Amino acid sequence: MQLYNTLSAEERAQLIDEAGQQRLTLSFYAYAKIEDPKKFRDDLFIEWNKLDALGRTYVAKEGINAQMSVPAENIEAFRETLEVYDFMKNIRLNVAVEQDDHSFLKLTVKVRDKIVADGLNDETFDVTNIGVHLKANEFNQIIEDPNTIVVDFRNHYESEIGHFKGAITPDVETFRESLPIINEQLKDFKEDKNLVMYCTGGIRCEKASAFFKHQGFKNVYQLEGGIINYAKQIKEEGLESKFIGKNFVFDHRLGERITDDIVSQCHQCGKPCDNHTNCENEGCHLLFIQCDACKAVMENCCSVECQEIIHLPLDEQIRRRRGVSVGNKIFRKGKSDKLKFKHSGELSDVSLGSAEKPTAIRQKIKIKKTLLGKVDHYYVKAQVGLFIIENGDLKTGDTLLISGPTTGAETVVISEMQVNGTAAATASLGDKVTIVLPFRVRLSDKIFKILD
């Protein structure tokens, strides 16, 4: 019985491109009492794997929290896998504003103590006594009331690129940090103010609203379905968007545009920008905002120090990381003294620029291609790339597509090549191939042969 992924992210991406099917990125959550989260997890994985559903899901005794990518043609079958459980009958699926077929490239369903790390003891208050749910139109009306306090229950790196006008945006890195801060900050307004809260998809507010009602707040409201559902409703109903900028999302896209306003800056040069990236140095992996110009100059790095490290041999990079940190502990969320234009906490509602109209998040790949291997080395001075053929064969006259997070997608026609150190016209499985390249490539960039 298969309860794990059998394909790498790269192999999955290739299959998605070759299939040419539209996929829908969506999210959902439900609080419910689950007696056996392990069995629940296994059952979901088996059923979702049959439907080619990908994504990241957490299950716990308190419920489920999921972000998924599902083939559009399987969406009803996917819903059926949920509705066999009574607590997910007619569950709302928050479909993303912008679609990307590569938003998720593997399926993970993990058992956790909680579906959101809130740091709360659920036994001390009634978690079902939640705030009043507001639809987009109702939300727009109540936040215009001078008696209303609007609170963003997301983290600093989320609110920085987009938020509701006039909202309190705590300078925090985790949801659990924001709860005591807001409780202390608003302690004098429990009786007479409307406490209106929002988050990405609604799940954080579901618990937070019950917590604040327990703390004595009389008028507690929450945005139904979060920013994702709000964006959908304002588009369908032709409403004014009180949200400005981008909505941060936790998949490959790292954000979906709600309005054309850019309210944040490149953390390195200060240019209006709201595109997040992760530092290319795996020993840093800092999440920060970087414009295209700085991306090119800094090679996707957050600092000169990290830029120097990525040019070291891979074994040296690994040696430097050894014993320092591992896995998710490496990941840091936008806090570094080297970022000169980082803003947190009280954020401006003033637009710094306007986003260019995108043609599409990801164009469907019309050409057929096959994966040959990946870049093994790049000789900077000679502008020569080395790779080992791991699949198929190659001959002069073939066209290669070389792609990676920093390189982008570049093509080159093979006019001549060295195979195992000797000039040759053909290469096959296991051969070491070197070719002159008119552009720079990076270690582990994928190399595809374009098929006729």
mmCIF file of all heavy atoms in Angstrom, residues 270-298:
data_model
loop_
_atom_site.group_PDB
_atom_site.id
_atom_site.type_symbol
_atom_site.label_atom_id
_atom_site.label_comp_id
_atom_site.label_asym_id
_atom_site.label_seq_id
_atom_site.Cartn_x
_atom_site.Cartn_y
_atom_site.Cartn_z
ATOM 1 N N GLY A 270 15.357 49.197 -2.073
ATOM 2 C CA GLY A 270 14.275 50.112 -1.746
ATOM 3 C C GLY A 270 13.293 50.369 -2.862
ATOM 4 O O GLY A 270 12.315 51.094 -2.688
ATOM 5 N N LYS A 271 13.499 49.757 -4.018
ATOM 6 C CA LYS A 271 12.575 49.927 -5.147
ATOM 7 C C LYS A 271 11.226 49.282 -4.803
ATOM 8 O O LYS A 271 11.181 48.240 -4.156
ATOM 9 C CB LYS A 271 13.176 49.260 -6.384
ATOM 10 C CG LYS A 271 12.276 49.244 -7.598
ATOM 11 C CD LYS A 271 12.944 48.484 -8.746
ATOM 12 C CE LYS A 271 12.009 48.364 -9.945
ATOM 13 N NZ LYS A 271 12.654 47.605 -11.041
ATOM 14 N N PRO A 272 10.094 49.893 -5.219
ATOM 15 C CA PRO A 272 8.798 49.258 -4.974
ATOM 16 C C PRO A 272 8.783 47.827 -5.515
ATOM 17 O O PRO A 272 9.074 47.596 -6.692
ATOM 18 C CB PRO A 272 7.817 50.154 -5.743
ATOM 19 C CG PRO A 272 8.467 51.492 -5.753
ATOM 20 C CD PRO A 272 9.940 51.209 -5.893
ATOM 21 N N CYS A 273 8.479 46.892 -4.649
ATOM 22 C CA CYS A 273 8.535 45.477 -5.040
ATOM 23 C C CYS A 273 7.795 44.657 -3.992
ATOM 24 O O CYS A 273 7.842 44.972 -2.802
ATOM 25 C CB CYS A 273 9.994 45.017 -5.146
ATOM 26 S SG CYS A 273 10.197 43.267 -5.562
ATOM 27 N N ASP A 274 7.133 43.582 -4.410
ATOM 28 C CA ASP A 274 6.464 42.700 -3.452
ATOM 29 C C ASP A 274 6.632 41.225 -3.824
ATOM 30 O O ASP A 274 5.763 40.407 -3.561
ATOM 31 C CB ASP A 274 4.978 43.060 -3.303
ATOM 32 C CG ASP A 274 4.229 43.109 -4.631
ATOM 33 O OD1 ASP A 274 4.781 42.647 -5.650
ATOM 34 O OD2 ASP A 274 3.089 43.619 -4.648
ATOM 35 N N ASN A 275 7.787 40.903 -4.419
ATOM 36 C CA ASN A 275 8.084 39.519 -4.790
ATOM 37 C C ASN A 275 9.033 38.893 -3.769
ATOM 38 O O ASN A 275 10.181 39.312 -3.645
ATOM 39 C CB ASN A 275 8.721 39.457 -6.185
ATOM 40 C CG ASN A 275 7.764 39.910 -7.266
ATOM 41 O OD1 ASN A 275 6.562 39.669 -7.183
ATOM 42 N ND2 ASN A 275 8.287 40.572 -8.280
ATOM 43 N N HIS A 276 8.537 37.894 -3.067
ATOM 44 C CA HIS A 276 9.370 37.189 -2.097
ATOM 45 C C HIS A 276 10.274 36.173 -2.794
ATOM 46 O O HIS A 276 9.934 35.631 -3.838
ATOM 47 C CB HIS A 276 8.504 36.440 -1.076
ATOM 48 C CG HIS A 276 8.061 37.276 0.068
ATOM 49 N ND1 HIS A 276 6.795 37.825 0.142
ATOM 50 C CD2 HIS A 276 8.699 37.674 1.196
ATOM 51 C CE1 HIS A 276 6.682 38.517 1.272
ATOM 52 N NE2 HIS A 276 7.822 38.433 1.924
ATOM 53 N N THR A 277 11.409 35.911 -2.182
ATOM 54 C CA THR A 277 12.321 34.878 -2.654
ATOM 55 C C THR A 277 13.027 34.293 -1.445
ATOM 56 O O THR A 277 12.963 34.838 -0.346
ATOM 57 C CB THR A 277 13.346 35.460 -3.652
ATOM 58 O OG1 THR A 277 14.071 34.386 -4.257
ATOM 59 C CG2 THR A 277 14.328 36.395 -2.965
ATOM 60 N N ASN A 278 13.693 33.169 -1.643
ATOM 61 C CA ASN A 278 14.518 32.579 -0.588
ATOM 62 C C ASN A 278 15.979 32.665 -0.995
ATOM 63 O O ASN A 278 16.325 32.405 -2.149
ATOM 64 C CB ASN A 278 14.150 31.107 -0.349
ATOM 65 C CG ASN A 278 12.855 30.955 0.411
ATOM 66 O OD1 ASN A 278 11.865 30.495 -0.137
ATOM 67 N ND2 ASN A 278 12.846 31.331 1.665
ATOM 68 N N CYS A 279 16.824 33.039 -0.065
ATOM 69 C CA CYS A 279 18.248 33.169 -0.344
ATOM 70 C C CYS A 279 18.790 31.876 -0.953
ATOM 71 O O CYS A 279 18.491 30.775 -0.480
ATOM 72 C CB CYS A 279 19.009 33.512 0.934
ATOM 73 S SG CYS A 279 20.790 33.724 0.683
ATOM 74 N N GLU A 280 19.598 32.028 -2.007
ATOM 75 C CA GLU A 280 20.138 30.879 -2.739
ATOM 76 C C GLU A 280 21.063 30.031 -1.879
ATOM 77 O O GLU A 280 21.215 28.832 -2.119
ATOM 78 C CB GLU A 280 20.897 31.382 -3.969
ATOM 79 C CG GLU A 280 21.320 30.319 -4.951
ATOM 80 C CD GLU A 280 20.159 29.754 -5.759
ATOM 81 O OE1 GLU A 280 19.041 30.311 -5.691
ATOM 82 O OE2 GLU A 280 20.371 28.751 -6.455
ATOM 83 N N ASN A 281 21.667 30.642 -0.866
ATOM 84 C CA ASN A 281 22.537 29.900 0.047
ATOM 85 C C ASN A 281 21.676 29.013 0.948
ATOM 86 O O ASN A 281 20.931 29.511 1.790
ATOM 87 C CB ASN A 281 23.365 30.881 0.886
ATOM 88 C CG ASN A 281 24.189 30.180 1.954
ATOM 89 O OD1 ASN A 281 24.405 28.970 1.911
ATOM 90 N ND2 ASN A 281 24.639 30.955 2.934
ATOM 91 N N GLU A 282 21.786 27.701 0.769
ATOM 92 C CA GLU A 282 20.949 26.775 1.521
ATOM 93 C C GLU A 282 21.212 26.841 3.020
ATOM 94 O O GLU A 282 20.375 26.430 3.815
ATOM 95 C CB GLU A 282 21.160 25.342 1.017
ATOM 96 C CG GLU A 282 20.529 25.069 -0.336
ATOM 97 C CD GLU A 282 19.018 25.165 -0.298
ATOM 98 O OE1 GLU A 282 18.420 24.842 0.735
ATOM 99 O OE2 GLU A 282 18.439 25.582 -1.311
ATOM 100 N N GLY A 283 22.364 27.359 3.411
ATOM 101 C CA GLY A 283 22.656 27.507 4.828
ATOM 102 C C GLY A 283 22.011 28.732 5.436
ATOM 103 O O GLY A 283 22.100 28.975 6.630
ATOM 104 N N CYS A 284 21.361 29.521 4.604
ATOM 105 C CA CYS A 284 20.661 30.734 5.058
ATOM 106 C C CYS A 284 19.179 30.607 4.740
ATOM 107 O O CYS A 284 18.335 30.589 5.617
ATOM 108 C CB CYS A 284 21.252 31.960 4.354
ATOM 109 S SG CYS A 284 20.328 33.495 4.629
ATOM 110 N N HIS A 285 18.858 30.523 3.435
ATOM 111 C CA HIS A 285 17.482 30.306 2.969
ATOM 112 C C HIS A 285 16.516 31.373 3.485
ATOM 113 O O HIS A 285 15.328 31.128 3.687
ATOM 114 C CB HIS A 285 17.003 28.916 3.374
ATOM 115 C CG HIS A 285 15.969 28.344 2.439
ATOM 116 N ND1 HIS A 285 16.179 28.234 1.084
ATOM 117 C CD2 HIS A 285 14.722 27.879 2.654
ATOM 118 C CE1 HIS A 285 15.107 27.711 0.523
ATOM 119 N NE2 HIS A 285 14.203 27.497 1.450
ATOM 120 N N LEU A 286 17.036 32.569 3.732
ATOM 121 C CA LEU A 286 16.229 33.664 4.258
ATOM 122 C C LEU A 286 15.106 34.033 3.300
ATOM 123 O O LEU A 286 15.315 34.157 2.097
ATOM 124 C CB LEU A 286 17.122 34.884 4.488
ATOM 125 C CG LEU A 286 16.439 36.149 5.013
ATOM 126 C CD1 LEU A 286 16.102 35.975 6.486
ATOM 127 C CD2 LEU A 286 17.342 37.365 4.828
ATOM 128 N N LEU A 287 13.918 34.210 3.818
ATOM 129 C CA LEU A 287 12.787 34.688 3.030
ATOM 130 C C LEU A 287 12.815 36.207 3.039
ATOM 131 O O LEU A 287 12.761 36.822 4.102
ATOM 132 C CB LEU A 287 11.479 34.182 3.640
ATOM 133 C CG LEU A 287 10.197 34.633 2.934
ATOM 134 C CD1 LEU A 287 10.044 33.945 1.590
ATOM 135 C CD2 LEU A 287 8.978 34.358 3.814
ATOM 136 N N PHE A 288 12.894 36.821 1.856
ATOM 137 C CA PHE A 288 12.949 38.284 1.797
ATOM 138 C C PHE A 288 12.406 38.766 0.458
ATOM 139 O O PHE A 288 12.140 37.964 -0.447
ATOM 140 C CB PHE A 288 14.379 38.784 2.037
ATOM 141 C CG PHE A 288 15.365 38.455 0.935
ATOM 142 C CD1 PHE A 288 15.844 39.446 0.098
ATOM 143 C CD2 PHE A 288 15.817 37.151 0.750
ATOM 144 C CE1 PHE A 288 16.754 39.154 -0.914
ATOM 145 C CE2 PHE A 288 16.727 36.843 -0.251
ATOM 146 C CZ PHE A 288 17.196 37.853 -1.082
ATOM 147 N N ILE A 289 12.211 40.082 0.352
ATOM 148 C CA ILE A 289 11.681 40.676 -0.873
ATOM 149 C C ILE A 289 12.848 41.163 -1.725
ATOM 150 O O ILE A 289 13.723 41.880 -1.242
ATOM 151 C CB ILE A 289 10.723 41.841 -0.554
ATOM 152 C CG1 ILE A 289 9.524 41.322 0.252
ATOM 153 C CG2 ILE A 289 10.253 42.527 -1.825
ATOM 154 C CD1 ILE A 289 8.607 42.422 0.763
ATOM 155 N N GLN A 290 12.853 40.769 -2.993
ATOM 156 C CA GLN A 290 13.971 41.100 -3.877
ATOM 157 C C GLN A 290 13.451 41.418 -5.278
ATOM 158 O O GLN A 290 12.694 40.639 -5.859
ATOM 159 C CB GLN A 290 14.955 39.931 -3.930
ATOM 160 C CG GLN A 290 16.244 40.218 -4.690
ATOM 161 C CD GLN A 290 17.189 39.024 -4.666
ATOM 162 O OE1 GLN A 290 16.791 37.910 -4.984
ATOM 163 N NE2 GLN A 290 18.443 39.252 -4.294
ATOM 164 N N CYS A 291 13.872 42.564 -5.825
ATOM 165 C CA CYS A 291 13.465 42.954 -7.178
ATOM 166 C C CYS A 291 14.313 42.205 -8.204
ATOM 167 O O CYS A 291 15.345 41.611 -7.877
ATOM 168 C CB CYS A 291 13.582 44.459 -7.368
ATOM 169 S SG CYS A 291 15.289 45.078 -7.402
ATOM 170 N N ASP A 292 13.909 42.251 -9.465
ATOM 171 C CA ASP A 292 14.623 41.531 -10.520
ATOM 172 C C ASP A 292 16.050 42.027 -10.686
ATOM 173 O O ASP A 292 16.965 41.241 -10.954
ATOM 174 C CB ASP A 292 13.872 41.655 -11.846
ATOM 175 C CG ASP A 292 12.562 40.885 -11.843
ATOM 176 O OD1 ASP A 292 12.401 39.991 -10.984
ATOM 177 O OD2 ASP A 292 11.695 41.168 -12.694
ATOM 178 N N ALA A 293 16.260 43.346 -10.535
ATOM 179 C CA ALA A 293 17.600 43.903 -10.709
ATOM 180 C C ALA A 293 18.543 43.385 -9.628
ATOM 181 O O ALA A 293 19.674 42.972 -9.914
ATOM 182 C CB ALA A 293 17.553 45.428 -10.684
ATOM 183 N N CYS A 294 18.085 43.404 -8.378
ATOM 184 C CA CYS A 294 18.922 42.890 -7.285
ATOM 185 C C CYS A 294 19.087 41.378 -7.387
ATOM 186 O O CYS A 294 20.145 40.835 -7.026
ATOM 187 C CB CYS A 294 18.318 43.264 -5.933
ATOM 188 S SG CYS A 294 18.461 45.030 -5.529
ATOM 189 N N LYS A 295 18.060 40.697 -7.876
ATOM 190 C CA LYS A 295 18.152 39.245 -8.063
ATOM 191 C C LYS A 295 19.290 38.903 -9.016
ATOM 192 O O LYS A 295 20.057 37.962 -8.801
ATOM 193 C CB LYS A 295 16.827 38.703 -8.597
ATOM 194 C CG LYS A 295 16.763 37.183 -8.702
ATOM 195 C CD LYS A 295 15.439 36.739 -9.302
ATOM 196 C CE LYS A 295 14.296 37.006 -8.351
ATOM 197 N NZ LYS A 295 14.297 36.070 -7.201
ATOM 198 N N ALA A 296 19.412 39.696 -10.093
ATOM 199 C CA ALA A 296 20.462 39.451 -11.077
ATOM 200 C C ALA A 296 21.842 39.762 -10.498
ATOM 201 O O ALA A 296 22.791 38.980 -10.640
ATOM 202 C CB ALA A 296 20.215 40.290 -12.328
ATOM 203 N N VAL A 297 21.969 40.905 -9.832
ATOM 204 C CA VAL A 297 23.260 41.325 -9.284
ATOM 205 C C VAL A 297 23.693 40.421 -8.136
ATOM 206 O O VAL A 297 24.863 40.031 -8.034
ATOM 207 C CB VAL A 297 23.201 42.794 -8.816
ATOM 208 C CG1 VAL A 297 24.477 43.182 -8.070
ATOM 209 C CG2 VAL A 297 22.993 43.714 -10.005
ATOM 210 N N MET A 298 22.746 40.090 -7.259
ATOM 211 C CA MET A 298 23.064 39.325 -6.051
ATOM 212 C C MET A 298 22.899 37.820 -6.234
ATOM 213 O O MET A 298 23.101 37.056 -5.295
ATOM 214 C CB MET A 298 22.181 39.790 -4.890
ATOM 215 C CG MET A 298 22.360 41.244 -4.489
ATOM 216 S SD MET A 298 24.029 41.588 -3.911
ATOM 217 C CE MET A 298 24.116 40.552 -2.451
#
